[in-house]
Amino acid sequence: SQRDIAFDQVVRKLSGVVADGKSPVAIGGERTLGLAAARATSRHFEELGVVWLTRRPGFLEDDRGLSLTALTMGRQFVRAFPTAIVGPRFWSADEVDFIASRSASPFVSARQVVDGKLDFDKIRASLPKAVHLSIDVGVLDPSVLPMFGNSEPGGLGWYELSDVIDDVFRRFDVVSCDINGFVPTVGT
């Protein structure tokens, strides 16, 4: 499919950036960008973990017959990499079942972050030193970043997100990063 071709092109391009000794920072609207960037980076590291900041974990097996969409990203990350998922504020019953089956993957809800219950020692113990940081801007509360598709209250505030990112950089070697999910609302 065109989606798969585009995904593979992003993986190849970013892999070349890492091969040149650089740390890529990929920016885009589609959440699958994070998986492409992590896959590209993993080609050059013996062990790579993922810290994924997102509003929805996306643990569906498939989305209308497609395996590579925003709603399947969490499952894709967890299958491919040791992954810590930070910031979700809603999920389906199927996603709860998947989370329960993957108890080794840290899962920290937005509420836990806001309440100061983010245990970075547990996250650090479950991931290798080198990580890809994937930031879905939808992790932010809509009062901070109003945009299409980000209407559920209870997301992270600006300072909470800044603190989480700071902790990631202090505790890990962030070897690549992506910022995705930005879909501006007309007039903002």
Side-chain angles (χ1 to χ4, degrees):
S1 75
Q2 291 292 74
R3 177 182 288 263
D4 292 331
I5 292 169
F7 183 88
D8 290 341
Q9 287 175 339
V10 171
V11 171
R12 277 194 308 280
K13 290 285 186 183
L14 291 177
S15 182
V17 171
V18 179
D20 288 341
K22 299 174 184 168
S23 297
V25 176
I27 301 172
E30 174 59 41
R31 288 173 67 192
T32 56
L33 176 67
L35 182 62
R39 281 194 184 161
T41 303
S42 72
R43 293 178 174 182
H44 306 278
F45 287 86
E46 190 172 313
E47 286 188 284
L48 181 73
V50 172
V51 177
W52 188 30
L53 308 176
T54 187
R55 73 182 177 92
R56 179 165 188 181
F59 287 139
L60 299 181
E61 181 69 37
D62 69 69
D63 178 18
R64 300 161 300 195
L66 300 172
S67 63
L68 187 61
T69 73
L71 297 179
T72 65
M73 290 309 305
R75 189 176 291 257
Q76 299 282 347
F77 269 137
V78 169
R79 283 184 173 160
F81 306 101
T83 302
I85 299 172
V86 179
R89 56 187 180 271
F90 71 98
W91 42 86
S92 70
D94 289 341
E95 290 171 316
V96 169
D97 291 342
F98 185 78
I99 293 164
S101 74
R102 301 293 185 149
S103 61
S105 298
F107 182 89
V108 184
S109 72
R111 180 63 182 249
Q112 290 170 297
V113 174
V114 170
D115 289 348
K117 296 179 181 172
L118 177 58
D119 183 356
F120 253 106
D121 290 335
K122 180 180 177 183
I123 291 173
R124 179 63 195 103
S126 67
L127 299 178
K129 185 71 172 161
V131 298
H132 171 80
L133 175 60
S134 184
I135 304 168
D136 171 3
V137 297
V139 75
L140 287 164
D141 190 82
S143 66
V144 176
L145 184 64
M147 64 180 187
F148 176 77
N150 190 33
S151 57
E152 306 85 12
L156 303 185
W158 179 255
Y159 294 111
E160 292 152 343
L161 177 61
S162 295
D163 289 347
V164 169
I165 293 170
D166 183 57
D167 277 341
V168 170
F169 274 90
R170 281 190 294 111
R171 296 169 189 262
F172 296 97
D173 293 335
V174 178
V175 296
S176 60
C177 178
D178 73 272
I179 302 169
N180 67 73
F182 185 67
V183 183
T185 303
V186 175
T188 60

